Structures are given as C-alpha cells and as structure tokens.
Amino acid sequence: MDGPPVNDCCSICHGNFHLPHQANCSHWYCGNCILQVWNHGSALQPCRCPLCRRQITLLVPSQASSQQVHDPEASQILRRIESYNRVFGSQSAGLGQRLQDLPFLLKRLFRELMDPQRSLPFVIKARVYLALISTAVYVLSPVDIIPEALFGVLGLLDDVIIALIFFLHVGTLYRAILVRRYGGSST
C-alpha cells in the first residue's frame, strides 16, 4: 500500500485526500493541509501531527502524488513539501524520536526491498543485507559480550542491544534516502 487507506479521509480538512502525504508518525494528510498546519505555527520548527502530537520531520508523498508534477498547483505544493523535508528531514533527532520513527521507516523499507518496481541503490541494499546478516550471525553465535550461559536472561541484553543498533542503523540509512529523494537538492 503506497497511499492512504481506501475509506479514510484527511483528518484536517475531513475531505478526500488531495496530494496525500504520509508523516513520519504514519498518519496521512493532504499536502496542502499539513503545510497550512505548519504555516500556523513557527516556521523555524517542524509542525506537530494533529492526531498524535509528534513532531513531523519527514513528509513522504504517495506514488500518485509524486506523479502529479505537471499540474501547477500540485507542483507548487510538492516543492513546498520538498523545502519542508530539506529543512527538517535531516535534523539530528534524539534517540526517542529515532525509536518512534522506526516502525514507519522499517515498514516502508521492507516494502521497497520486496517490490521489484521500486529502486533502492545497490549499495544501500548491500548495506542493509550485510547489517542484517552480521546481526543474525552475532545473535545466533555462541560468542557473546555477555554470555547467556553465565548470566542467564541478562546475557540476552547484548543480543537485544546489537539488534537495536541494527534497526537504528538501517532506519537512519533509509531516512537519509527518503530525505534525499523527497527533499530535493538544496540548490
């Protein structure tokens, strides 16, 4: 699914989606509606999601929205979204924000890896698979920083930490791809 749910509507205008965009909290909004929310707040800070109140630091257009670049109104909204993503998408976020963004990023990444129509650069795919294999080998191997045989359940802590580092690394890597893809160039 690369678009909002079929029977859903924008929670800002309560109408059908026009140029739908998904925020990093996984909620969908019309491109113009979410830009209006941002315009009513501080231009120096990312807006907050009207539903969950999380900071929106990345707006990803649906595939249908991305294809409407020939419409002048849609093109202007897409340029403003690119500007928003360029300003707020690459800001350094704290660990809490990164953990909250993981489900959104990992779902999109998994869909992109499994869909032959989408194109992730080979180097990125290789890094994701290499990190996945390295994590799996570490978690499954008997060699651990904190051995389970000596410390029991506490020994699983290093495995959980390694898996968390893997997910954060892959999430950060994919977020950089999305910012580059939907944030345009700064020139």
Side-chain angles (χ1 to χ4, degrees), residues 3 11 15 23 35 58 63 84 97 103 105 113-114 118 132-133 137 142-143 151 157 162:
S11 60
L35 286 172
L58 185 62
Q63 191 170 6
Y84 183 92
Q97 177 77 28
L105 294 169
L113 286 172
M114 295 300 130
R118 297 184 186 228
L132 177 64
I133 290 168
V137 165
V143 178
F151 296 103
L157 184 63
I162 295 297

Side-chain angles (χ1 to χ4, degrees), residues 29-157:
Y29 299 103
C30 299
N32 197 38
C33 291
I34 199 63
L35 286 172
Q36 286 178 357
V37 169
W38 178 49
N39 289 336
H40 286 297
S42 171
L44 301 176
Q45 294 181 346
C47 65
R48 293 196 174 272
C49 174
L51 294 175
C52 66
R53 306 304 302 152
R54 283 187 45 209
Q55 279 192 339
I56 297 176
T57 56
L58 185 62
L59 291 166
V60 179
S62 68
Q63 191 170 6
S65 295
S66 297
Q67 295 172 349
Q68 294 185 18
V69 293
H70 301 297
D71 177 20
E73 179 188 349
S75 180
Q76 180 186 18
I77 291 170
L78 290 171
R79 278 195 308 273
R80 290 176 58 209
I81 294 285
E82 280 183 3
S83 174
Y84 183 92
N85 285 338
R86 198 171 28 256
V87 171
F88 301 115
S90 58
Q91 282 184 348
S92 62
L95 182 61
Q97 177 77 28
R98 290 176 193 255
L99 288 172
Q100 287 178 336
D101 288 350
L102 269 181
F104 164 75
L105 294 169
L106 293 177
K107 276 190 266 185
R108 289 192 74 90
L109 175 63
F110 183 73
R111 278 198 313 257
E112 198 156 334
L113 286 172
M114 295 300 130
D115 187 357
Q117 300 298 321
R118 297 184 186 228
S119 61
L120 267 179
F122 174 76
V123 174
I124 301 301
K125 284 183 181 180
R127 284 179 67 180
V128 169
Y129 288 132
L130 181 65
L132 177 64
I133 290 168
S134 300
T135 301
V137 165
Y138 180 81
V139 169
L140 296 175
S141 75
V143 178
D144 282 334
I145 297 170
I146 305 173
E148 285 91 4
L150 295 177
F151 296 103
V153 175
L154 187 60
L156 293 175
L157 184 63

